[in-house]
Amino acid sequence: MLKPRDAVRYLKEYHPPLGGRHGLRLDFNENTVGCSPRVLQRLQSLTGEELARYPEREPAEKIVAAHLVIDPAEVILANGTDEAIHLICETYLEPEHEAIVAVPTFAMYEIYAGATGARVVSVQADSSFRFSTEAILAQINSQTRLIAIANPNNPTGALASAVV
């Protein structure tokens, strides 16, 4: 059985997107309109110390949970999407499990799932990059613990239908 610390040998080499490109870079998931004046104003009011540390999560998670009328234990605020994906994979995946990933998609799903030692099952989009609900459903088995679907997908922009 593959142990998590050994999984690194089996991961595909990661090549991040190239920087220094000009023009619109949608694959970087960049904001194309900039932040609001309120955000700029708030950033200008922060001290160097406030900018140098991450705030505690729990107080903000309680506020979000109250707004959504859910239990605070159901909320996690992460320092970016990569961290959220990493935490989900580490929480729910063991080497005997499987993660289903609709591809092509954001590379970190496969990287973090594979790092746990879990088997990553890639489900390829069709030639038009359409998401196949049927193909995903056909891969689910008793070892499946995670199904990663970016909606809209990155980098294709394809949508997964809410109707099955």
Side-chain angles (χ1 to χ4, degrees):
M1 178 178 285
L2 183 66
K3 295 178 181 171
R5 67 179 176 276
D6 297 329
V8 174
R9 293 184 297 170
Y10 300 99
L11 293 176
K12 295 178 188 173
E13 185 175 342
Y14 176 63
H15 297 281
L18 301 175
R21 297 181 300 165
H22 300 289
L24 190 58
R25 303 181 307 180
L26 293 177
D27 60 323
F28 277 22
N29 199 26
E30 294 176 332
N31 179 341
T32 59
V33 295
C35 59
S36 77
R38 287 177 54 198
V39 169
L40 287 175
Q41 183 180 11
R42 175 65 178 126
L43 288 172
Q44 290 169 350
S45 74
L46 295 174
T47 67
E49 181 182 334
E50 290 170 317
L51 287 170
R53 62 179 164 80
Y54 286 119
E56 292 183 26
R57 294 178 181 181
E58 189 175 338
E61 289 171 347
K62 286 181 179 179
I63 293 167
V64 170
H67 177 76
L68 297 174
V69 193
I70 60 174
D71 187 312
E74 297 176 359
V75 176
I76 184 164
L77 300 179
N79 298 310
T81 305
D82 286 15
E83 183 186 24
I85 295 168
H86 175 79
L87 290 171
I88 289 167
C89 289
E90 288 295 328
T91 300
Y92 293 104
L93 295 174
E94 297 291 336
E96 64 273 13
H97 296 147
E98 290 185 1
I100 299 172
V101 180
V103 294
T105 194
F106 186 54
M108 300 315 289
Y109 293 127
E110 185 174 2
I111 290 168
Y112 285 131
T116 68
R119 180 172 173 259
V120 177
V121 178
S122 297
V123 177
Q124 187 69 42
D126 69 17
S127 61
S128 297
F129 295 111
R130 285 188 301 250
F131 176 82
S132 175
T133 302
E134 295 78 20
I136 294 286
L137 293 174
Q139 294 299 320
I140 297 173
N141 63 56
S142 63
Q143 300 308 310
T144 303
R145 294 296 183 276
L146 176 73
I147 302 172
I149 301 169
N151 195 26
N153 190 28
N154 173 359
T156 66
L159 297 173
S161 172
V163 177
V164 178

